[in-house]
Amino acid sequence: SSDLWKSACVSRFPLTMAEPAAKKQKTEEGAVAADAPAKEAPKVPEPPKELEEDAPKATGAKIKEAVTFHTPDTTINAMVSTAGNMLLPISDGGIRHLLAGARANVGVKSGRYLFEAKVVETITRADEGPKPTPKSLLKIGFSTAGSSLIMGSDETDISFDDSGALVHAKNKTNLGFVAKFGKEGTVGVLLNLDKSSPN
C-alpha cells in the first residue's frame, strides 16, 4: 500500500528527522539576523556645489592709469579730494538739496569685477532744526560712458541705494535687506559680464 511504501522509504535511507516547524523558523530568523550587515549611519547631505567658481588669476596687462574721478564725469556739486580718492557733495546753502554724482574713469567690457566704496562720513547740519531736513541718499553701481551721472533714471545704469534696493530704469525693487549701509560701512557691487557664467 502507499502507506507502507512511505514507511519503508523512510526507514531505509539515512535521513535526519525534520525539526519542528516553530524551531526551524526561529533558527532561520537567527541565521538571517546574524548574516545581515550592520545598519550604516545616515549620510549627511553634501552642500550644493557653488556654480560661480573663482576666476583664474589675471595675467594680462593691467590698466596703467589710476582709477579716479575726472571733473567732466562729476556733477558741479561733487568734489574729489586731493588725497585718498574720496568723493563728497557740497553741503552748504541750498545746493545741499541737490543730488551729486560721479563716474570713475575706468570701464570694463568683459569678465567679472567688484567695485567697493566706503562711507567715511555722514553730515548733519546743526542749523536745520524744524526746517525740512535734506534726505541723505547714496547709490552705488555701474553705468555706461556718456550716460546720466544721476543713476536710476535710465536703462544705461544699474545701482543699489543705501536701503539695499535695486534701482534701474526708474524702477526700485526691494530685495529684502534689513540692514542699511552708512558711516564706516563698505559696500561692494559685482559686475558680471562673463557670458559663460551660470549666474
Side-chain angles (χ1 to χ4, degrees), residues 4-193:
L4 180 62
W5 172 250
K6 286 180 182 177
S7 186
C9 283
V10 171
S11 60
R12 290 180 60 190
F13 292 94
L15 301 175
T16 55
M17 187 177 291
E19 295 179 355
K23 187 175 180 183
K24 183 177 181 182
Q25 185 177 0
K26 261 188 178 181
T27 307
E28 288 176 353
E29 287 176 355
V32 171
D35 295 340
K39 290 184 178 179
E40 296 182 0
K43 294 182 179 180
V44 178
E46 296 182 0
K49 183 181 178 182
E50 175 57 57
L51 299 178
E52 195 71 60
E53 297 180 352
D54 292 341
K57 188 175 180 180
T59 56
K62 296 182 179 180
I63 56 173
K64 298 178 181 179
E65 188 178 359
V67 179
T68 186
F69 298 92
H70 293 157
T71 302
D73 287 328
T74 60
T75 56
I76 59 172
N77 58 337
M79 297 187 298
V80 183
S81 65
T82 55
N85 207 18
M86 291 186 291
L87 278 171
L88 63 155
I90 298 174
S91 57
D92 292 331
I95 199 170
R96 73 181 188 274
H97 295 276
L98 301 178
L99 293 174
R103 181 171 43 244
N105 63 322
V106 174
V108 294
K109 293 183 178 180
S110 61
R112 291 177 292 176
Y113 293 88
L114 178 69
F115 176 74
E116 289 185 339
K118 183 178 180 180
V119 182
V120 296
E121 183 182 27
T122 54
I123 299 173
T124 303
R125 294 178 60 88
D127 60 349
E128 284 171 357
K131 299 177 183 178
T133 304
K135 181 182 178 182
S136 297
L137 177 66
L138 175 63
K139 292 180 184 177
I140 177 173
F142 295 92
S143 64
T144 59
S147 61
S148 173
L149 296 173
I150 307 299
M151 293 189 294
S153 60
D154 207 340
E155 294 185 357
T156 55
D157 62 70
I158 187 167
S159 61
F160 296 90
D161 66 12
D162 51 4
S163 67
L166 175 67
V167 184
H168 175 63
K170 298 182 180 180
N171 293 320
K172 183 175 179 178
T173 306
N174 188 353
L175 301 179
F177 297 138
V178 179
K180 296 184 178 181
F181 49 85
K183 185 178 180 180
E184 299 300 324
T186 301
V187 188
V189 181
L190 175 68
L191 178 64
N192 188 352
L193 298 177

